[in-house]
Structures are given as C-alpha cells and as structure tokens.
Amino acid sequence: MSIQHSAANRGHEWNMARRILGLTAVLLAFVLSGCSSFRPWQNQPAESRAITVKTLAATPPTERSIVAAVTFSGGGARAAAFGLGVLQELKATEFSWEGQPTTLLDEISLVSGVSGGSVLAAYYAAFGDETLTRFESEFLLTHFESGLIGYALSPLRLQHLSSPWYGRSHVLAERLETLFRGRTFGDLKNRARGPDLLVTATDLTTGAAFEFTAEQFALICSDLASVPLSFAVAASSSVPILLSPLTLRNYAGHCSTGNAVSVQNLDENNYRVRMLRASAESYLDADDRPYIHLVDGGVADNLGVRTMLDRLIAGGSIGAGWRQAPPGSIRKLILIAVNSERDVAERIDRSDRVPTTGQVLNTLVFGAGTRETRVTLGLLKDDMQRWQRELIEERGTQGSPFAADAELHVISISLRDVEDPSVRRSLLQVPTAFTIDPDEVKGLEQAGREALSRSPEFQRLREQLREPGSFPGRLLAAERGDQTGREDGVTSR
C-alpha cells in the first residue's frame, strides 16, 4: 500500500482555515447591512432528581456478562476511517458465548467519541451494523468539507450567520443532521438493541470535559433525550478559532427537587476525585453560569477516556463501579482505546528560523497535544495495573459483581502500530480535516483492522472468548477449514 502526500496535502487543514476566513469576510458584509435575529436549537428545562457525585462516579447498571467499550479519539475523517477499520475487525471476530453465537462488535455496550471520532461513534450508536456498509459512502467518501463551505455560503445560511446566536458550528450541526437522519439521544433509548453513546466536548470556561450524558444534563436541569446527535457531535468537533463554540442553557435550580452534590464515601484526599466534584459543582449556580459554551472535546482529552477513569477512581475500587450488577454476573471487562493522533507536519526544532504562525499552531495542536495524550495513556496503564490486582482479589467473592473467571482486557491501539514504516509515516501525516483522499480512507481502514488484530492483548482476548472445554489454543476454525469447531471458539474472518 502506497499513499503519496504533497506539501499541499499536508497543509490541507490550513486551507480550510483560509476558506473559513473568506466566509467570515462575506459574513461581515451582512453584518454591516444588519444582523439577523435567527435563533438555532436550544435545550429546554426538564424535571430532574437530585444528582450526586457518587452517581456521577458510577457506571450504568448492567446485566451483561461481557461489558465492553470502544473509544475513538479526535482526528477528523482520519480518526473516523481508522476507527471504522476497528469496527470491521470487531465484527469479523466471531465466537460462541454462553451457548449463543455472537461477535465482539455485537457485545460492545458503550461507544465513545471525541471530535472526528464522535462522528463514527454517533453513527454506529444510531444505525448499528449499517455503519459497516454505509458510513464510508455517506461520510468518508463524500466531499463533506467542500459541501459544508458551500452550504454555509447559501443566502439563507449567510443571513443566519449574521445572527449573534448562530455561528459556524451551527452550520456544521445542520450538515450532520442529514448524516444522522435527525436522530436524538432519545431515539437511541428506543432501539431494541445497541450500545450507549458517549460524546465528549470541552467546557470553554473551565477547560473540563463536558460529556453528553443524562447525569451531566441533570446537573443543568435539562433533558439529554431532546438533544440532537448532530448538536453533540458538532460541539465535540468545534475546533477553536476555525469553528465557533456551541451553547447550552443552564437551568440549574429549576428542577423540582434541585441538584445536590454529595461527596459522601468519596476519597477527598484524591486529586482526581476533587476535580470530578469541582466540575460537577460548577454547574449548580445558574445565576453565576447561565450559559455553557462548548468547543472541541480534544482540548480537554483527545482520547475521551480520562473522565471514565476518574469515575472509576472516584468509586473507590473497580468493583464499586459495577455494584448494581448481579453478583457473579460479569466475566469480561473490555476497553478498546483507538488513538488516531497524527504527527506534526514540520519539525520546527530542526531550523533556527522564527516559526511561522501556521507552524506554531500545528506544533501546539499536534506536538504539545501529544504530550497530554501520553499523560492519559500513562494514567490508563497505571489504573489498569491497579484494577487487575483488585479484580484478582475480588472476583468470585461473596457479593462481588465479578465471576470467578472474570478478566480485564485493556487494548490501546494507534496509527503508530502500523507495521510498515513507510505506510506508518504516510498515515501519520494524513491531515485533520472532514474530507481526506479516498486512498487514505482505504489505507486507514486497513490499518485499523491490522492494528487491532496484531495487538497482543487483543490476541489474548480472542483466545479466552470461548466456552470452557472448547478446543485449546487460538487456531481459528476458518483458517484450518474445520467448520465443526467453529461454534466453540473464536473465528476472525
């Protein structure tokens, strides 16, 4: 596989910035001739029960014996394409579990996304397996970016853009509304089957992650069910400067029982617990913070896993996070973190010239941002080691949600796991944009499949995903042509 990148292609994201600045210039003409009073969608107040940090620290109740989550990082269409390859490999991994044929993709109970990864996450949460056949043609292989600019330049949109309540990200949200076919978070709850969805943006005022969850919206006395998927994904993708923040109204104090934040039974000596509480408490005074402005989720955490880790830490132990699950019910805990972060376009430390504005921005986003991602991965590694010890001590004990054979699998993959050095370098330079070259799309999908399948931890997981007494080893039935053993073991097509 060979993908050629020119200097123009490496600077694709900056071309988008120049086009947006051109749009802004056109907008100024409308501003000078009079502003529109158009108002876009706004969240409304809703009844809510009291919310506690203890609730925020816990995971949703589950009766599944496999609890699996997959998280997609930011990275524009690059992240969506790489993540789609991961979904394809998960679907291709077939096994029999508790007497029923299934696939790893079918066992995913939570799909999470940040920025470009949230486009894929929301699409899969809304449409399930359709994603494997339609997402590529409906998003990855369309001229989404140029279509977005053209859409914004329509007379009606230009008029709306002169409104002080309507910004560039609202144009993005309207375009995404077509992709998601008008679905809301409430529509996800009405599905017969499918994973929960977690979309993460950044609170521009505090710099903390803002998650589109029922608990988060209860804090502001609003209803997540009414939120369009397009709004959440546009907020998560609103790169500062290039796109505008999206705004939610804070109705805290308007609920029938109010919002109480309690720290009972939480470790106040833990810095991450204190930060979790402070973030929750920041929304409780609507008079002080009547509006919440949201930008790209990658500003707070490009991997979209740090707040999940904080919740588990706040719970006190890995078992506390699933205390509502029936005793002995959970046999597998699986987290697959997909990192689509790219390299900087240029190494500024190889020249003594004063870096240009473009070089500074590129290095800040893709250089300094990489350090934060490494910090998150370091926290994940340390937390995983702690949870492994806790799980071994707790599984099979009286009242524990974990069965005696329960296992924890944390699988982290990235574009740096691509085996071929030239392909790896090429893919790490794919621009962060809503539209990339079709060859890049195909290369990223293939890279996602291969990176996951070659992961040692994923291979260990596949070995264990079989009923006791099934054939040993990880020889795949399809590979050896033995169809009689297929239902007893793992098969990867």
Side-chain angles (χ1 to χ4, degrees):
M1 177 175 59
S2 176
I3 301 175
Q4 300 297 323
H5 285 277
S6 65
N9 193 28
R10 290 195 300 267
H12 185 78
E13 54 263 45
W14 308 117
N15 291 334
M16 180 183 179
R18 288 193 290 270
R19 297 173 74 182
I20 291 177
L21 290 175
L23 169 62
T24 303
V26 176
L27 172 61
L28 287 175
F30 279 81
V31 173
L32 293 174
S33 63
C35 293
S36 166
S37 60
F38 177 77
R39 289 179 180 266
W41 175 87
Q42 181 72 70
N43 63 305
Q44 298 300 312
E47 294 297 317
S48 174
R49 295 174 295 176
I51 299 298
T52 67
V53 170
K54 193 172 182 179
T55 301
L56 292 173
T59 58
T62 181
E63 294 184 359
R64 292 173 176 252
S65 58
I66 296 179
V67 180
V70 58
T71 66
F72 299 111
S73 78
R78 180 186 66 252
F82 188 58
L84 181 60
V86 170
L87 293 184
Q88 292 166 352
E89 184 64 24
L90 291 174
K91 188 64 178 181
T93 304
E94 301 175 330
F95 59 100
S96 177
W97 188 255
E98 298 176 348
Q100 298 295 322
T102 185
T103 73
L104 259 180
L105 185 58
D106 294 331
E107 297 301 324
I108 297 295
S109 52
L110 173 69
V111 59
S112 170
V114 173
S115 195
S118 71
V119 182
L120 175 63
Y123 194 98
Y124 179 69
F127 307 118
D129 282 357
E130 281 187 42
T131 307
L132 304 177
T133 56
R134 299 185 59 165
F135 184 73
E136 187 181 75
S137 60
E138 291 188 2
F139 179 71
L140 291 174
L141 297 181
T142 66
H143 297 289
F144 188 89
E145 188 172 299
S146 59
L148 179 64
I149 299 296
Y151 189 73
L153 290 173
S154 69
L156 179 61
R157 294 292 139 354
L158 284 173
Q159 181 185 24
H160 288 171
L161 281 166
S162 68
S163 167
W165 300 284
Y166 187 93
R168 295 182 297 277
S169 289
H170 289 101
V171 179
L172 172 61
E174 290 181 9
R175 286 287 291 162
L176 290 170
E177 186 75 0
T178 301
L179 178 67
F180 298 129
R181 305 173 212 169
R183 298 294 198 276
T184 66
F185 278 86
D187 292 325
L188 300 185
K189 296 297 183 182
N190 296 326
R191 299 162 304 167
R193 179 179 174 84
D196 292 330
L197 172 65
L198 177 62
V199 174
T200 303
T202 299
D203 186 324
L204 184 58
T205 299
T206 65
F210 182 97
E211 297 180 326
F212 283 79
T213 63
E215 291 80 11
Q216 177 69 71
F217 272 72
L219 284 172
I220 62 174
C221 292
S222 194
D223 184 10
L224 176 67
S226 67
V227 178
L229 298 184
S230 57
F231 181 92
V233 172
S236 183
S237 305
S238 295
V239 179
I241 309 302
L242 297 184
L243 293 170
S244 58
L246 286 178
T247 303
L248 290 170
R249 180 73 184 269
N250 186 359
Y251 300 100
H254 293 192
C255 301
S256 58
T257 56
N259 294 102
V261 174
S262 169
V263 294
Q264 183 179 6
N265 298 328
L266 295 183
D267 182 7
E268 278 295 279
N269 294 320
N270 189 301
Y271 174 76
R272 293 162 72 178
V273 171
R274 295 198 302 271
M275 291 297 292
L276 187 68
R277 182 193 66 173
S279 179
E281 288 180 336
S282 71
Y283 299 103
L284 298 185
D285 188 350
D287 292 333
D288 183 57
R289 296 193 66 199
Y291 300 99
I292 302 161
H293 301 290
L294 303 175
V295 295
D296 195 309
V299 174
D301 173 20
N302 197 51
L303 288 181
V305 301
R306 189 173 294 190
T307 303
M308 284 192 282
L309 300 180
D310 291 345
R311 285 204 192 96
L312 285 170
I313 292 296
S317 69
I318 189 172
W322 281 275
R323 59 169 55 90
Q324 298 182 58
S329 61
I330 300 177
R331 296 175 58 193
K332 291 289 181 188
L333 283 174
I334 305 168
L335 172 62
I336 302 172
V338 183
N339 179 14
S340 303
E341 195 170 51
R342 57 159 290 183
D343 278 345
V344 294
E346 297 179 73
R347 288 282 303 275
I348 61 172
D349 52 4
R350 292 180 176 175
S351 172
D352 62 353
R353 295 186 177 185
V354 176
T356 66
T357 300
Q359 289 173 324
V360 171
L361 287 173
N362 184 279
T363 304
L364 283 174
V365 173
F366 303 111
T370 299
R371 182 180 183 279
E372 285 304 307
T373 297
R374 289 174 180 169
V375 170
T376 301
L377 289 172
L379 290 172
L380 176 60
K381 181 179 179 180
D382 290 347
D383 291 341
M384 180 192 70
Q385 292 174 346
R386 169 185 168 179
W387 297 332
Q388 288 280 20
R389 293 192 297 268
E390 292 177 352
L391 182 62
I392 292 173
E393 294 174 358
E394 185 174 328
R395 60 188 179 186
T397 61
Q398 185 174 6
S400 170
F402 304 116
D405 63 347
E407 292 280 348
L408 170 65
H409 300 268
V410 178
I411 302 161
S412 177
I413 63 171
S414 77
L415 287 171
R416 290 177 173 81
D417 296 325
V418 174
E419 192 171 30
D420 187 300
S422 62
V423 174
R424 180 172 62 250
R425 286 192 298 270
S426 181
L427 294 181
L428 283 169
Q429 287 297 320
V430 174
T432 301
F434 287 119
T435 300
I436 58 178
D437 187 86
D439 287 341
E440 294 170 338
V441 170
K442 296 296 186 182
L444 286 160
E445 290 179 24
Q446 180 66 23
R449 292 191 296 268
E450 292 180 355
L452 182 60
S453 65
R454 287 200 313 272
S455 164
E457 183 61 21
F458 184 72
Q459 292 175 3
R460 186 173 79 89
L461 171 63
R462 291 198 316 190
E463 290 176 2
Q464 295 183 4
L465 284 175
R466 51 184 170 84
E467 293 288 345
S470 61
F471 64 83
R474 73 178 185 92
L475 181 63
L476 306 183
E479 293 174 353
R480 66 179 185 177
D482 181 3
Q483 298 302 316
T484 61
R486 182 174 180 178
E487 291 186 356
D488 296 323
V490 180
T491 302
S492 183
R493 292 194 299 268

